[in-house]
Amino acid sequence: MEIKSSELILNPDGSVYHLNLRPEHIAHDIIFVGDQNRVEKITKHFSSIEYSTQKREFKTQTGIYKGKRMSVMSTGIGPDNIDIVMNELDALVNIDLQTRMPKEETTQLNIIRIGTSGSLQADIPVDSFVMSSFGLGLDNMLRSYNIDSISNTEIEQAFIDHTNWDARKGRPYVIGCSEKLAAMIAGPEMHQGITATAGGFYGPQGRVLRLSIQDEALNSKMDNFKYMDHRITNLEMETGAIYGLSALLGHNALSLNAIIANRASGTFSADPYFAVDKLIEYALDKLAQQ
C-alpha cells in the first residue's frame, strides 16, 4: 500500500523531511553523534567527503575512511529525536521514495552511536569507555510501537521490582544490542553493561535544581541493580531508543560512550575531549576492518 504524503513527508527535492537526505547520500555504515559539532571531529579523519548537509540539528557527512564508505550524523538530544532519525534513515533504504511503497527486499544498516555519558558505578572511572549490552528505556517513547517481540521482559520486571517503579511513569523497556556489532567492537578497553536512557537531562536523571522529583533515590537504586551478570553502568538519553527502533526495523545498532563524569564519585574528566577523540579513533578503525 502506498504511504501517504502526510505520513512520509518529502522535501521538494525528494529528500526526507527532517534529515534532508536522499538514498544516495548515505552509506550503510553510519555513526551517530548527538552534537552537530562532533560530526567534523569524526570526518576530519576521512580521506575524502562526498556529501554534506544540515537541517536543524541534523547534520550528515558521508565519505571514505581507510577505503570504507561511512556516514556520520548528528541526532540531537533525546529519544524523540531518535524517533525521527531512525524512521527517516530506514525510509531512505527500505521505501521507494518515488512510488512510496515499501521495498520487497530490505537493507540492513550498521549504526554505531558514539556519545558521552556519566557513569553510575564507582569502578568505571572518567575517561573510560562503555559498550551498552542493553538499553534500558525510562522514556516511554518506544511504547508507541509494538515491542513485545524484541524487549527483555525479565530484566524489565526485575528493574521495576528493584526500584519500586511508579507505574504512572510508564513501563521501562529493555532492548539488547546487535551481537554482530558487539563482537566486532569488543575489546579490553571496553566496560560493558546496561545503559539507562532517560527522557530528560534534569529531573529524569535525578538532578535537582529548583524542582523536587518523584523518586529522589532512583539513581542509588539503579547503582545497586543487578540482573544475573548485568548491571547499569551509565545514564544518557538515546541508547534505548536507538536499540529499540533498530531491532524493530531490522538494523544493527551499538552504543559506545566515553565516560566524562562519574556520578558515584562526583568527578568530571579534566579533558573530556581527549577521551571522546580516543573513542572515535577506536570505533572508526574497528568499523573499517569489517
Side-chain angles (χ1 to χ4, degrees):
M1 181 180 296
E2 181 180 333
I3 300 170
K4 296 178 181 178
S5 58
S6 60
E7 311 305 293
L8 175 59
I9 304 169
L10 301 179
N11 296 311
D13 65 354
S15 61
V16 289
Y17 183 65
H18 295 92
L19 301 185
N20 208 37
L21 294 167
R22 295 196 301 268
E24 65 269 22
H25 295 153
I26 63 165
H28 292 170
D29 294 289
I30 301 173
I31 294 174
F32 281 177
V33 294
D35 183 357
Q36 57 193 285
N37 293 322
R38 196 172 291 156
V39 171
E40 291 182 355
K41 291 183 188 237
I42 297 179
T43 60
K44 71 179 182 181
H45 298 284
F46 287 15
S47 58
S48 62
I49 296 175
E50 67 181 63
Y51 187 76
S52 181
T53 191
Q54 180 169 2
K55 185 177 181 182
R56 302 182 186 182
E57 63 266 53
F58 307 112
K59 180 173 183 176
T60 303
Q61 291 190 332
T62 296
I64 304 296
Y65 177 78
K66 294 187 176 180
K68 183 84 170 178
R69 188 172 186 254
M70 302 180 193
S71 294
V72 183
M73 175 181 296
S74 62
T75 64
I77 300 173
D80 51 343
N81 272 24
I82 297 303
D83 184 54
I84 291 171
V85 170
M86 286 300 308
N87 276 287
E88 292 194 5
L89 270 181
D90 182 74
L92 288 172
V93 294
N94 289 320
I95 296 173
D96 186 318
L97 300 185
Q98 293 186 331
T99 66
R100 295 181 170 274
M101 298 287 289
K103 295 180 181 179
E104 293 185 6
E105 293 187 12
T106 57
T107 296
Q108 188 176 67
L109 300 172
N110 295 318
I111 297 165
I112 295 180
R113 177 183 184 268
I114 298 178
T116 56
S117 184
S119 170
L120 296 177
Q121 303 294 338
D123 63 340
I124 301 179
V126 294
D127 301 329
S128 60
F129 302 154
V130 168
M131 182 170 77
S132 308
S133 51
F134 290 92
L136 164 63
L138 310 177
D139 57 277
N140 254 355
M141 183 279 290
L142 204 67
R143 290 290 175 189
S144 297
Y145 300 93
N146 295 317
I147 64 171
D148 290 348
S149 64
I150 62 166
S151 62
N152 189 312
T153 56
E154 290 82 7
I155 301 180
E156 289 173 6
Q157 192 59 51
F159 176 80
I160 289 167
D161 294 342
H162 177 79
T163 58
N164 192 26
W165 186 260
D166 188 334
R168 291 174 298 178
K169 296 194 292 186
R171 182 182 174 90
Y173 59 87
V174 176
I175 314 291
C177 70
S178 161
E179 294 182 1
K180 169 190 167 184
L181 292 183
M184 182 181 75
I185 295 291
E189 301 89 344
M190 288 288 169
H191 296 271
Q192 295 189 41
I194 301 170
T195 293
T197 297
F201 183 77
Y202 289 96
Q205 293 190 38
R207 291 182 172 93
V208 177
L209 302 183
R210 293 184 59 241
L211 298 177
S212 60
I213 57 176
Q214 182 270 327
D215 186 353
E216 294 182 355
L218 181 58
N219 276 14
S220 62
K221 294 175 188 176
M222 291 197 293
D223 294 348
N224 299 322
F225 175 73
K226 192 169 185 180
Y227 180 83
M228 300 179 67
D229 294 330
H230 305 292
R231 62 177 179 162
I232 299 173
T233 51
N234 60 312
L235 179 60
E236 46 84 272
M237 295 179 62
E238 289 83 31
T239 294
I242 292 171
Y243 281 10
L245 289 172
S246 293
L248 288 172
L249 293 166
H251 304 299
N252 296 307
L254 187 67
S255 181
L256 308 176
N257 276 279
I259 298 300
I260 62 170
N262 188 291
R263 299 289 293 276
S265 64
T267 55
F268 191 84
S269 174
D271 187 358
Y273 299 108
F274 177 79
V276 173
D277 287 344
K278 296 300 290 183
L279 181 57
I280 288 169
E281 292 172 13
Y282 179 93
L284 281 173
D285 284 340
K286 290 286 189 179
L287 196 54
Q289 292 168 11
Q290 71 163 322

